[in-house]
Amino acid sequence: MSPEEVQLFYQRLAERTPNPETELEYVNDFTLLVAVVLSAQATDASVNLATRELFRTVDTPEAMVALGEEGLKQHIKTIGLFNTKAKNVIALSQALIADHAGRVPADRDALQRLPGVGRKTANVVMNCAFGAETFAVDTHVFRVSNRTGLAPGKDVDAVERILDAETPQPWRRDAHHYLILHGRYVCKARTPECWRCVVADICRYEPKTPPPGSTKEARVIAAKRGRA
């Protein structure tokens, strides 16, 4: 996309969702970190169901260590990979106590040294907790960036680099939220809902998906446009 198209792309997403936020529920920086770790290969909704009760009483690294791995498993057993995730959450809680006085560090490299914390998780925490202009590339962001032509890249690292280089102000702080929400609710994996997309005329994806119940003729026209 041209710089003008990128600007318009974000402007329209911002007009549709003026104050985008993560859909993970949390009460402080620590519970945000835990929630993001738990959300790997799981939906935000499933994580919220599992942690809603947990975070009412367990909201510090010390409380998490006291709960223990087996106790945590009882709360998160409905989430995929819960055994590994429970082990990592206890280990990262111990590391926070030992190395950071029980506080979540406002440093991406330090976050990535914690057990179970990769670059995407660190980027989310830096953005949501500390307001950093980071670009967390999950499956939604990766798909939308490539499908629309906003930031085409062969892997998540490439997409992150392009987004960081090409995303202008004032959209940088909320860019990954715009893209996640757009991918989750409009630019869906199997069938993008192009007929209600606010950036359809900028998007490079073809053929555009016609509305449900549209005529066979409309579908043929859409397909021909995609081959043009």
Side-chain angles (χ1 to χ4, degrees):
M1 289 186 185
S2 68
E4 293 76 18
E5 288 174 320
V6 171
Q7 186 78 246
L8 187 58
F9 186 97
Y10 282 117
Q11 180 181 328
R12 290 185 184 173
L13 294 185
E15 288 171 352
R16 188 192 62 191
T17 311
N19 299 297
E21 297 179 345
T22 178
E23 294 187 322
L24 288 170
E25 297 175 5
Y26 62 98
V27 298
N28 55 24
D29 296 349
F30 172 69
T31 54
L32 170 65
L33 173 60
V34 171
V36 180
V37 169
L38 295 178
S39 71
Q41 300 182 51
T43 65
D44 288 1
S46 68
V47 173
N48 291 339
L49 284 174
T51 60
R52 200 164 287 144
E53 183 65 30
L54 172 68
F55 290 162
R56 288 175 182 168
T57 55
V58 181
D59 59 359
T60 65
E62 293 80 5
M64 189 65 74
V65 171
L67 177 64
E69 188 174 329
E70 292 304 316
L72 178 56
K73 286 180 183 180
Q74 294 306 306
H75 286 275
I76 66 170
K77 59 186 177 183
T78 56
I79 302 175
L81 307 175
F82 73 93
N83 285 311
T84 299
K85 291 176 180 179
K87 181 178 181 180
N88 284 335
V89 168
I90 296 302
L92 73 83
S93 298
Q94 293 169 331
L96 288 174
I97 295 169
D99 302 330
H100 302 284
R103 295 179 177 274
V104 176
D107 178 89
R108 183 163 55 190
D109 292 336
L111 285 167
Q112 287 187 251
R113 287 193 289 270
L114 296 171
V117 178
R119 187 173 181 86
K120 186 199 78 173
T121 295
N123 278 338
V124 172
V125 173
M126 289 299 297
N127 181 272
C128 296
F130 305 113
E133 294 176 351
T134 53
F135 299 84
V137 182
D138 68 352
T139 56
H140 296 301
V141 174
F142 185 79
R143 178 177 69 256
V144 170
S145 296
N146 276 283
R147 179 184 278 169
T148 63
L150 175 69
K154 64 180 181 179
D155 55 41
V156 295
D157 291 333
V159 169
E160 181 184 341
R161 286 194 298 271
I162 296 169
L163 287 173
D164 193 12
E166 303 295 336
T167 301
Q169 296 291 4
W171 319 117
R172 295 178 60 82
R173 170 65 177 79
D174 293 325
H176 93 271
H177 292 297
Y178 294 134
L179 298 176
I180 288 172
L181 295 173
H182 188 60
R184 185 172 291 163
Y185 297 112
V186 179
C187 196
K188 300 176 182 179
R190 291 190 177 182
T191 307
E193 298 181 359
C194 304
W195 66 89
R196 66 182 191 89
C197 175
V198 296
V199 293
D201 59 318
I202 305 171
C203 171
R204 301 297 192 259
Y205 177 73
E206 295 290 353
K208 296 292 192 289
T209 309
S214 60
T215 65
K216 180 179 179 181
E217 180 182 5
R219 293 179 181 276
V220 170
I221 292 173
K224 287 181 178 179
R225 285 175 178 168
R227 293 193 296 268

